[in-house]
């Protein structure tokens, strides 16, 4: 059974102990403190439980503002990689601008050694992560 770490109007964040997967679902475009809280709480779950997989269900999300992107790239990504991040399954945003934004993050993280796969269905994304 997944453990709910965070659940608010912006996003829900779960930890799946049997598969060591951290999983978030955006409920609307998210930025600023709510965005950073989801990622920070997920990083804490990585550190606490030895997780190595993240499922980003960003269908309801859009482009990330530059200051949040910079924070994620320079602060959050090194933290979760140090905690053991290896696999990232992404359910892309519905909006084209969000998809373009995610393409950039995917490229950056692939270059850092993360195995990234894109899906249109969160169940397929979860199945792929479980098989890794």
């Amino acid at each position: 059974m997944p453990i709910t770490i965070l659940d608010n109007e912006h996003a829900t964040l779960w930890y799946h102990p049997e598969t060591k997967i951290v999983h978030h679902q955006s409920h609307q475009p998210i930025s600023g403190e709510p965005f950073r809280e989801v990622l920070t709480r997920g990083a804490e779950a990585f550190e606490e439980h030895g997780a190595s997989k993240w499922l980003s269900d960003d269908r309801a999300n859009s482009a990330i503002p530059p200051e949040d992107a910079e924070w994620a790239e320079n602060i959050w990504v090194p933290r979760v990689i140090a905690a053991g991040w290896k696999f990232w399954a992404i359910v892309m945003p519905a909006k084209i601008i969000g998809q373009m934004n995610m393409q950039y993050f995917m490229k950056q993280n692939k270059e850092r050694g993360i195995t990234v796969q894109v899906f249109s269905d969160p169940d397929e994304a979860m199945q792929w992560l479980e098989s890794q």
Side-chain angles (χ1 to χ4, degrees), residues 9-121:
E9 69 272 17
H10 303 284
T12 303
L13 179 69
W14 300 273
Y15 174 64
H16 300 263
E18 64 286 346
T19 51
K20 295 188 180 250
I21 295 170
V22 172
H23 170 194
H24 83 263
Q25 180 179 6
S26 301
H27 302 308
Q28 61 183 351
I30 185 171
S31 62
E33 191 52 44
F35 170 78
R36 294 177 189 209
E37 182 181 17
V38 169
L39 294 186
T40 299
R41 298 282 299 273
E44 290 166 355
F46 260 65
E47 292 162 350
E48 189 177 325
H49 302 291
S52 62
K53 306 168 189 180
W54 192 296
L55 194 165
S56 297
D57 183 347
D58 282 329
R59 291 173 290 175
N61 207 357
S62 189
I64 305 299
E67 60 275 10
D68 288 333
E70 188 176 309
W71 173 86
E73 217 170 296
N74 297 319
I75 307 293
W76 180 77
V77 168
R79 180 178 178 181
V80 288
I81 287 175
W85 190 26
K86 302 270 186 281
F87 300 97
W88 188 18
I90 305 167
V91 184
M92 285 295 227
K95 295 184 171 149
I96 297 296
I97 186 91
Q99 292 172 18
M100 291 168 59
N101 200 228
M102 287 303 286
Q103 293 286 350
Y104 170 78
F105 295 126
M106 287 169 43
K107 181 179 180 297
Q108 295 296 107
N109 290 318
K110 280 181 179 178
E111 289 172 3
R112 290 177 162 175
I114 306 300
T115 302
V116 184
Q117 195 77 18
V118 175
F119 299 88
S120 56
D121 179 310

